[in-house]
Amino acid sequence: MLSRTTSLPLPLGMGKRHRFQRHAVAVAAWIGTAMALILLIWLVFPGSAGQASHPAVSWDEPRFRMLPTAQDPGTDWQTVTLPDTWATRQLASRGVARYEIGFQLAPLDHTLRSQTWAVRLDRLSFQHRIWLNGHLIHTDLPGDEPTGRPLSYLAQFSPDLLQDGANRLDIEVLYGSLGGLSQPIMGPADDLTVGYTIQALLSQQLPLVINVVAAAFASFLIVIWLRRRSEVAMGALGLLCVVVSVRNCTYYIVHGPTLAADLSAWLYFTAQTSATVLLGWFAMAIAEKRHPLFVKVLWVVEIAFPLAAGLAAQRGYLAEIRAVLYPGLLLLMLPSLALLLQVHKRFSRWSAIGIVLGIAVSLVAGFHDYLRLVGSFSVNHTYWLPLASPITLASYGLVLMHRFVEATNQAEELNVQLEAKVDERTRELSAANAAKGHFLAAASHDLRQPVAAVGLLSGLLRDRLQGNPIHDMTLRLCDAVHAMEGLLNGLLDLSRLEAGAIKPHQQAIDLGAMLDRIQSHEQEAARTKGLRLRIHPTRAFAHSDPVLLEQMIRNLVGNALRYTSHGGVLVGVRRRQSHWLVQVWDTGRGIATEDQHRIFEDFVQLANPERNRAKGLGLGLAIVQRSARLLNIDVELQSRVGRGSCFSIRVPMAAAVTALQAAPVAVPRTRPLEDRHILVIDDDDTLRLALRERLREWGALVSTGSSLEELEELLQRVMSVDLLLTDHRLRDGDSLQAIDLAREHHPELPVVVITGDTAAEPLLTLQDIGAPVLHKPFQAEDLLSALLQSCQKTRPLT
């Protein structure tokens, strides 16, 4: 496990990039909330406060009356003061009303008469009609029901509609909420356009754009949460920001789908409720504190408040119930804000300032909007939350993204450290494996020398003591030596496979003939145990390496016979599309599922805890697995405990069958190397003696040496040489030097190399030596076969 104190080098610039990202996100959060506060302070003052009507216009005292509707009988004409807020005069904020506003106009000069005039109204329902001296100059009535909300308008008209002296402006408004009217501003359109544009930008277009951007950013947060469910705070904030932004956008989108006034107001209130509840979930998630009572309150509010508002809307009391429930939503925000105030300690100073500032802005904006709803503020005041909430929530999102980026950066740093640690461990393991390989190679070489000598001498002893009373003892000695040779040859096979010293020679293989050879070789072992070995006849030809494939199947069959106590073993071939499936079935004890991967490891024998050598050495299946990897074929295992096992080798079918068999070497029964002169070079005295006696037994003339220096003396003294038999590793060189030295005197001299090396480098060197190589220990028959094949190249046997 990687400790916390691990210090590893990071990629160049990573630390600087992390610090830059951290400060950039914190500053962005602080700037965003500061901008929200500045804009809100600016909006405290009406946009028209800095601009008045043209000096030629003087306004009279306006009159107002509510027009009768199905729900409201209306009112008589009454004098009001502009800006007029209905809720301040204890009137319903929803309804249809008409304003009559008289004004006196001084005579206009030719310049003013040639300009287009306009009337600017910063708070006018988007459902309205405007007349000037009885002429309709502007109308906007989307829908039949009163659903309007106050927005900014600039109505232009021709100065010909104006008359010197008394004039009258009639305005009809339809409000769904927040009824009222701001003070009109009249003058040339060019003088009013700039102020109106700024007012509309700050009070309408800017909040709309900010909310659209916030909704897009929130969607990104939601996507992150969906892909990474542990980011609960990010998901809650994303949902909260989407709800708030969509709700705010509907306030400024006038000419969209029209809904009934009560339904639209209920949806707006429901969105406000959901936003407050989501704020609570977000606060608990980011603070990593879950309060059961607060959770219950959130669920109650989410269900009960919209239900109560819906019932009130059916009875026409939605505005009143909203005024009652809205303080409850404000109170519900207090625990959420308290939780948010606690999390600033987990972030940097600038991020903490941004969080606290955002909370303050949200509180001020929420309190202001409540007072605006109940009529404590003039109609000139717009809602603040549509502008403050997306900026505040976006700043929280930036803080979360900052934390997410920091977590990602920490993960990258840990990955770098982990990779460095893995590289370090890999180098250590490689060094350990190399040391182990060198040790095994050296130990194997030193062990193979005497075993090879013992094998040759025990064979000589067996042959010379036939008919002697101690002949049985020599047979047991030969069996023991054969077991040692089997172990060393198994290790050699593994070493050659691991070193890549074996190159597959792909060709067409007669599987039927191969299985017959295996049956002939293993039949005696099956008969000895009372088992039945059956080979299903086949005419299949596969494409693979014949030596490796036969060794794999032979190992599987031998393994099956070794661990089967009753019944038998069946070997067959099945077709599977473009492959042959060579299967070995047995009726043995079976292999448990959890042990099936272990049996392919080196020296693993599940049913041989006493390490009885009669049950093998535990290398057969390891060789099968490595050979399969080399041939790029699959080995499959199916087994049931108590029922038996089935090993399958999947080999490609041969595209074209061409059976080529090498002619066997004729081995005479008596003195096969008669009159052959063989030079034997080996630095091990015992093995050199055993080789000399064995070769003389076969009728050869033998000259021996232990080094390249002695080989040089023999070559200068001896005139005729038929073959060089040399060890690969000599005291003063190797077999390559010995071959070069011998062929300087006898250019076509056949060579047979013997070696006890199992390390990768010598094995790869001997692979391309161009001469037969025998690996110690070897059978006397294998030695004789290699010598005869080499001698045939120069002088045929007689």
Side-chain angles (χ1 to χ4, degrees), residues 475-518:
L475 293 178
R476 294 184 180 180
L477 175 62
C478 290
D479 290 341
V481 172
H482 182 68
M484 285 192 296
E485 290 175 345
L487 171 61
L488 291 174
N489 286 329
L491 290 173
L492 174 64
D493 290 337
L494 287 177
S495 299
R496 295 172 68 197
L497 289 169
E498 290 291 346
I502 299 178
K503 292 184 178 180
H505 298 282
Q506 306 280 352
Q507 63 185 63
I509 305 170
D510 186 349
L511 294 180
M514 177 183 290
L515 297 183
D516 289 340
R517 291 194 300 271
I518 294 174

Short mmCIF file of all heavy atoms in Angstrom, two decimals, residues 475-518:
data_model
loop_
_atom_site.label_atom_id
_atom_site.label_comp_id
_atom_site.label_asym_id
_atom_site.label_seq_id
_atom_site.Cartn_x
_atom_site.Cartn_y
_atom_site.Cartn_z
N LEU A 475 19.20 -52.51 -12.65
CA LEU A 475 17.95 -52.04 -13.27
C LEU A 475 17.29 -50.99 -12.39
O LEU A 475 16.75 -49.99 -12.89
CB LEU A 475 17.01 -53.22 -13.50
CG LEU A 475 17.47 -54.25 -14.55
CD1 LEU A 475 16.44 -55.39 -14.64
CD2 LEU A 475 17.64 -53.59 -15.92
N ARG A 476 17.28 -51.22 -11.06
CA ARG A 476 16.70 -50.22 -10.15
C ARG A 476 17.51 -48.92 -10.20
O ARG A 476 16.97 -47.82 -10.12
CB ARG A 476 16.67 -50.76 -8.74
CG ARG A 476 15.70 -51.95 -8.58
CD ARG A 476 15.62 -52.39 -7.13
NE ARG A 476 14.71 -53.52 -6.99
CZ ARG A 476 14.44 -54.13 -5.83
NH1 ARG A 476 14.99 -53.67 -4.71
NH2 ARG A 476 13.62 -55.15 -5.78
N LEU A 477 18.84 -49.09 -10.30
CA LEU A 477 19.68 -47.90 -10.43
C LEU A 477 19.32 -47.13 -11.69
O LEU A 477 19.23 -45.90 -11.67
CB LEU A 477 21.14 -48.31 -10.44
CG LEU A 477 22.16 -47.18 -10.70
CD1 LEU A 477 22.08 -46.14 -9.59
CD2 LEU A 477 23.57 -47.77 -10.81
N CYS A 478 19.13 -47.86 -12.78
CA CYS A 478 18.76 -47.19 -14.03
C CYS A 478 17.40 -46.49 -13.92
O CYS A 478 17.21 -45.40 -14.47
CB CYS A 478 18.75 -48.20 -15.17
SG CYS A 478 20.40 -48.78 -15.65
N ASP A 479 16.44 -47.10 -13.20
CA ASP A 479 15.13 -46.47 -13.01
C ASP A 479 15.28 -45.15 -12.23
O ASP A 479 14.63 -44.14 -12.55
CB ASP A 479 14.20 -47.42 -12.27
CG ASP A 479 13.78 -48.61 -13.14
OD1 ASP A 479 13.91 -48.48 -14.37
OD2 ASP A 479 13.32 -49.62 -12.58
N ALA A 480 16.12 -45.20 -11.19
CA ALA A 480 16.31 -43.98 -10.40
C ALA A 480 16.97 -42.88 -11.24
O ALA A 480 16.58 -41.71 -11.18
CB ALA A 480 17.16 -44.28 -9.17
N VAL A 481 17.96 -43.29 -12.02
CA VAL A 481 18.61 -42.31 -12.88
C VAL A 481 17.63 -41.76 -13.91
O VAL A 481 17.61 -40.56 -14.21
CB VAL A 481 19.83 -42.94 -13.57
CG1 VAL A 481 20.40 -41.99 -14.62
CG2 VAL A 481 20.90 -43.30 -12.55
N HIS A 482 16.77 -42.65 -14.44
CA HIS A 482 15.77 -42.20 -15.42
C HIS A 482 14.81 -41.18 -14.80
O HIS A 482 14.40 -40.21 -15.45
CB HIS A 482 14.99 -43.42 -15.94
CG HIS A 482 13.98 -43.07 -16.98
ND1 HIS A 482 14.31 -42.63 -18.24
CD2 HIS A 482 12.61 -43.09 -16.93
CE1 HIS A 482 13.22 -42.39 -18.94
NE2 HIS A 482 12.17 -42.67 -18.17
N ALA A 483 14.43 -41.38 -13.51
CA ALA A 483 13.55 -40.42 -12.84
C ALA A 483 14.24 -39.06 -12.70
O ALA A 483 13.62 -38.01 -12.91
CB ALA A 483 13.14 -40.96 -11.47
N MET A 484 15.54 -39.09 -12.35
CA MET A 484 16.27 -37.82 -12.25
C MET A 484 16.36 -37.14 -13.61
O MET A 484 16.23 -35.92 -13.72
CB MET A 484 17.67 -38.06 -11.68
CG MET A 484 17.69 -38.35 -10.18
SD MET A 484 19.36 -38.28 -9.51
CE MET A 484 20.14 -39.63 -10.37
N GLU A 485 16.60 -37.93 -14.63
CA GLU A 485 16.66 -37.35 -15.97
C GLU A 485 15.32 -36.75 -16.38
O GLU A 485 15.27 -35.70 -17.03
CB GLU A 485 17.09 -38.43 -16.97
CG GLU A 485 18.53 -38.86 -16.81
CD GLU A 485 18.87 -40.01 -17.75
OE1 GLU A 485 17.93 -40.63 -18.28
OE2 GLU A 485 20.06 -40.28 -17.95
N GLY A 486 14.22 -37.42 -16.00
CA GLY A 486 12.89 -36.87 -16.31
C GLY A 486 12.66 -35.52 -15.65
O GLY A 486 12.12 -34.60 -16.26
N LEU A 487 13.09 -35.40 -14.38
CA LEU A 487 12.95 -34.12 -13.68
C LEU A 487 13.76 -33.03 -14.38
O LEU A 487 13.27 -31.93 -14.65
CB LEU A 487 13.39 -34.27 -12.23
CG LEU A 487 13.49 -32.95 -11.42
CD1 LEU A 487 12.14 -32.26 -11.36
CD2 LEU A 487 14.02 -33.24 -10.03
N LEU A 488 15.02 -33.32 -14.67
CA LEU A 488 15.88 -32.31 -15.29
C LEU A 488 15.41 -31.96 -16.70
O LEU A 488 15.47 -30.80 -17.11
CB LEU A 488 17.32 -32.81 -15.32
CG LEU A 488 17.99 -32.92 -13.95
CD1 LEU A 488 19.35 -33.57 -14.08
CD2 LEU A 488 18.11 -31.56 -13.29
N ASN A 489 14.90 -32.94 -17.44
CA ASN A 489 14.39 -32.65 -18.79
C ASN A 489 13.12 -31.81 -18.73
O ASN A 489 12.89 -30.96 -19.59
CB ASN A 489 14.14 -33.95 -19.54
CG ASN A 489 15.44 -34.62 -19.98
OD1 ASN A 489 16.42 -33.93 -20.25
ND2 ASN A 489 15.45 -35.94 -20.04
N GLY A 490 12.29 -32.07 -17.72
CA GLY A 490 11.11 -31.22 -17.54
C GLY A 490 11.49 -29.78 -17.26
O GLY A 490 10.93 -28.83 -17.82
N LEU A 491 12.50 -29.60 -16.38
CA LEU A 491 12.98 -28.25 -16.10
C LEU A 491 13.59 -27.62 -17.35
O LEU A 491 13.45 -26.43 -17.60
CB LEU A 491 14.01 -28.29 -14.98
CG LEU A 491 13.48 -28.63 -13.58
CD1 LEU A 491 14.64 -28.80 -12.61
CD2 LEU A 491 12.52 -27.55 -13.09
N LEU A 492 14.27 -28.44 -18.14
CA LEU A 492 14.85 -27.93 -19.37
C LEU A 492 13.77 -27.46 -20.33
O LEU A 492 13.89 -26.39 -20.95
CB LEU A 492 15.72 -29.00 -20.03
CG LEU A 492 16.27 -28.64 -21.41
CD1 LEU A 492 17.21 -27.45 -21.31
CD2 LEU A 492 16.96 -29.84 -22.04
N ASP A 493 12.71 -28.24 -20.46
CA ASP A 493 11.61 -27.84 -21.35
C ASP A 493 11.02 -26.51 -20.91
O ASP A 493 10.74 -25.63 -21.73
CB ASP A 493 10.53 -28.92 -21.38
CG ASP A 493 11.00 -30.18 -22.11
OD1 ASP A 493 11.92 -30.06 -22.94
OD2 ASP A 493 10.44 -31.26 -21.84
N LEU A 494 10.80 -26.36 -19.59
CA LEU A 494 10.27 -25.10 -19.08
C LEU A 494 11.23 -23.95 -19.37
O LEU A 494 10.82 -22.85 -19.77
CB LEU A 494 10.01 -25.20 -17.58
CG LEU A 494 8.80 -26.03 -17.15
CD1 LEU A 494 8.72 -26.10 -15.63
CD2 LEU A 494 7.51 -25.47 -17.71
N SER A 495 12.52 -24.19 -19.15
CA SER A 495 13.51 -23.13 -19.39
C SER A 495 13.54 -22.73 -20.85
O SER A 495 13.61 -21.54 -21.19
CB SER A 495 14.89 -23.61 -18.94
OG SER A 495 14.90 -23.91 -17.56
N ARG A 496 13.49 -23.71 -21.74
CA ARG A 496 13.53 -23.39 -23.16
C ARG A 496 12.27 -22.63 -23.59
O ARG A 496 12.34 -21.70 -24.41
CB ARG A 496 13.67 -24.68 -23.97
CG ARG A 496 14.99 -25.39 -23.73
CD ARG A 496 14.99 -26.74 -24.41
NE ARG A 496 15.01 -26.58 -25.85
CZ ARG A 496 14.69 -27.56 -26.70
NH1 ARG A 496 14.31 -28.75 -26.24
NH2 ARG A 496 14.72 -27.34 -28.00
N LEU A 497 11.12 -23.00 -23.03
CA LEU A 497 9.88 -22.30 -23.38
C LEU A 497 9.90 -20.87 -22.84
O LEU A 497 9.47 -19.94 -23.52
CB LEU A 497 8.67 -23.06 -22.84
CG LEU A 497 8.35 -24.38 -23.54
CD1 LEU A 497 7.31 -25.17 -22.75
CD2 LEU A 497 7.84 -24.13 -24.96
N GLU A 498 10.38 -20.71 -21.60
CA GLU A 498 10.43 -19.37 -21.01
C GLU A 498 11.44 -18.49 -21.74
O GLU A 498 11.24 -17.29 -21.89
CB GLU A 498 10.80 -19.46 -19.52
CG GLU A 498 9.73 -20.08 -18.64
CD GLU A 498 8.51 -19.18 -18.51
OE1 GLU A 498 8.60 -17.99 -18.88
OE2 GLU A 498 7.46 -19.67 -18.06
N ALA A 499 12.55 -19.08 -22.19
CA ALA A 499 13.60 -18.29 -22.84
C ALA A 499 13.27 -17.98 -24.28
O ALA A 499 13.95 -17.16 -24.91
CB ALA A 499 14.93 -19.04 -22.76
N GLY A 500 12.23 -18.58 -24.84
CA GLY A 500 11.91 -18.37 -26.24
C GLY A 500 12.89 -19.05 -27.19
O GLY A 500 13.05 -18.64 -28.34
N ALA A 501 13.55 -20.09 -26.66
CA ALA A 501 14.54 -20.80 -27.48
C ALA A 501 13.89 -21.79 -28.42
O ALA A 501 14.59 -22.40 -29.24
CB ALA A 501 15.54 -21.51 -26.57
N ILE A 502 12.60 -22.01 -28.31
CA ILE A 502 11.90 -22.95 -29.18
C ILE A 502 11.09 -22.15 -30.19
O ILE A 502 10.25 -21.32 -29.82
CB ILE A 502 10.99 -23.88 -28.36
CG1 ILE A 502 11.81 -24.70 -27.38
CG2 ILE A 502 10.19 -24.78 -29.29
CD1 ILE A 502 10.98 -25.60 -26.50
N LYS A 503 11.32 -22.38 -31.45
CA LYS A 503 10.55 -21.74 -32.52
C LYS A 503 9.63 -22.77 -33.15
O LYS A 503 10.12 -23.81 -33.64
CB LYS A 503 11.48 -21.15 -33.57
CG LYS A 503 12.30 -19.95 -33.07
CD LYS A 503 13.13 -19.35 -34.20
CE LYS A 503 13.90 -18.14 -33.72
NZ LYS A 503 14.73 -17.55 -34.81
N PRO A 504 8.33 -22.54 -33.13
CA PRO A 504 7.41 -23.53 -33.72
C PRO A 504 7.65 -23.68 -35.22
O PRO A 504 7.92 -22.69 -35.93
CB PRO A 504 6.03 -22.94 -33.43
CG PRO A 504 6.24 -21.93 -32.36
CD PRO A 504 7.62 -21.40 -32.56
N HIS A 505 7.54 -24.89 -35.70
CA HIS A 505 7.61 -25.18 -37.13
C HIS A 505 6.25 -25.73 -37.56
O HIS A 505 5.97 -26.91 -37.38
CB HIS A 505 8.74 -26.18 -37.42
CG HIS A 505 10.10 -25.66 -37.05
ND1 HIS A 505 10.80 -24.76 -37.84
CD2 HIS A 505 10.89 -25.89 -35.97
CE1 HIS A 505 11.96 -24.47 -37.28
NE2 HIS A 505 12.04 -25.14 -36.13
N GLN A 506 5.42 -24.84 -38.05
CA GLN A 506 4.05 -25.21 -38.40
C GLN A 506 4.03 -26.04 -39.67
O GLN A 506 4.68 -25.67 -40.67
CB GLN A 506 3.19 -23.94 -38.58
CG GLN A 506 3.23 -22.99 -37.41
CD GLN A 506 2.30 -23.41 -36.28
OE1 GLN A 506 1.52 -24.33 -36.45
NE2 GLN A 506 2.39 -22.75 -35.15
N GLN A 507 3.28 -27.14 -39.64
CA GLN A 507 3.13 -27.99 -40.82
C GLN A 507 1.89 -28.86 -40.64
O GLN A 507 1.28 -28.88 -39.56
CB GLN A 507 4.38 -28.86 -41.01
CG GLN A 507 4.62 -29.82 -39.87
CD GLN A 507 5.93 -30.58 -40.05
OE1 GLN A 507 6.99 -29.98 -40.05
NE2 GLN A 507 5.84 -31.89 -40.20
N ALA A 508 1.53 -29.57 -41.68
CA ALA A 508 0.38 -30.47 -41.60
C ALA A 508 0.76 -31.69 -40.76
O ALA A 508 1.84 -32.25 -40.90
CB ALA A 508 -0.06 -30.90 -42.99
N ILE A 509 -0.15 -32.07 -39.85
CA ILE A 509 0.11 -33.18 -38.92
C ILE A 509 -1.01 -34.20 -39.06
O ILE A 509 -2.20 -33.85 -38.98
CB ILE A 509 0.17 -32.67 -37.46
CG1 ILE A 509 1.19 -31.54 -37.33
CG2 ILE A 509 0.48 -33.80 -36.51
CD1 ILE A 509 1.14 -30.85 -35.99
N ASP A 510 -0.63 -35.46 -39.23
CA ASP A 510 -1.60 -36.56 -39.25
C ASP A 510 -1.93 -36.90 -37.80
O ASP A 510 -1.14 -37.57 -37.10
CB ASP A 510 -0.99 -37.77 -39.97
CG ASP A 510 -2.00 -38.90 -40.14
OD1 ASP A 510 -3.09 -38.83 -39.51
OD2 ASP A 510 -1.70 -39.85 -40.87
N LEU A 511 -3.08 -36.41 -37.32
CA LEU A 511 -3.44 -36.64 -35.92
C LEU A 511 -3.65 -38.11 -35.63
O LEU A 511 -3.36 -38.58 -34.51
CB LEU A 511 -4.70 -35.84 -35.57
CG LEU A 511 -4.56 -34.31 -35.58
CD1 LEU A 511 -5.88 -33.64 -35.22
CD2 LEU A 511 -3.47 -33.86 -34.61
N GLY A 512 -4.16 -38.88 -36.61
CA GLY A 512 -4.36 -40.31 -36.39
C GLY A 512 -3.05 -41.03 -36.11
O GLY A 512 -2.95 -41.83 -35.17
N ALA A 513 -2.03 -40.76 -36.93
CA ALA A 513 -0.73 -41.39 -36.72
C ALA A 513 -0.11 -40.94 -35.40
O ALA A 513 0.52 -41.74 -34.68
CB ALA A 513 0.20 -41.06 -37.88
N MET A 514 -0.28 -39.66 -35.06
CA MET A 514 0.27 -39.16 -33.80
C MET A 514 -0.37 -39.86 -32.61
O MET A 514 0.32 -40.28 -31.66
CB MET A 514 0.06 -37.64 -33.71
CG MET A 514 0.54 -37.02 -32.41
SD MET A 514 0.20 -35.26 -32.30
CE MET A 514 1.34 -34.65 -33.54
N LEU A 515 -1.69 -40.00 -32.63
CA LEU A 515 -2.38 -40.67 -31.51
C LEU A 515 -1.99 -42.14 -31.43
O LEU A 515 -1.92 -42.71 -30.33
CB LEU A 515 -3.90 -40.50 -31.66
CG LEU A 515 -4.42 -39.06 -31.60
CD1 LEU A 515 -5.95 -39.04 -31.70
CD2 LEU A 515 -3.97 -38.37 -30.33
N ASP A 516 -1.75 -42.78 -32.56
CA ASP A 516 -1.31 -44.18 -32.53
C ASP A 516 0.05 -44.30 -31.84
O ASP A 516 0.28 -45.23 -31.05
CB ASP A 516 -1.23 -44.73 -33.96
CG ASP A 516 -2.61 -44.93 -34.57
OD1 ASP A 516 -3.59 -45.02 -33.81
OD2 ASP A 516 -2.70 -45.00 -35.82
N ARG A 517 0.96 -43.36 -32.13
CA ARG A 517 2.27 -43.40 -31.48
C ARG A 517 2.13 -43.21 -29.98
O ARG A 517 2.80 -43.88 -29.18
CB ARG A 517 3.19 -42.33 -32.06
CG ARG A 517 3.62 -42.57 -33.49
CD ARG A 517 4.78 -41.65 -33.88
NE ARG A 517 4.43 -40.25 -33.78
CZ ARG A 517 3.90 -39.56 -34.79
NH1 ARG A 517 3.61 -40.16 -35.95
NH2 ARG A 517 3.64 -38.28 -34.64
N ILE A 518 1.25 -42.29 -29.60
CA ILE A 518 1.05 -42.05 -28.17
C ILE A 518 0.45 -43.28 -27.50
O ILE A 518 0.84 -43.65 -26.38
CB ILE A 518 0.16 -40.81 -27.97
CG1 ILE A 518 0.89 -39.55 -28.47
CG2 ILE A 518 -0.24 -40.65 -26.51
CD1 ILE A 518 0.04 -38.29 -28.45
#
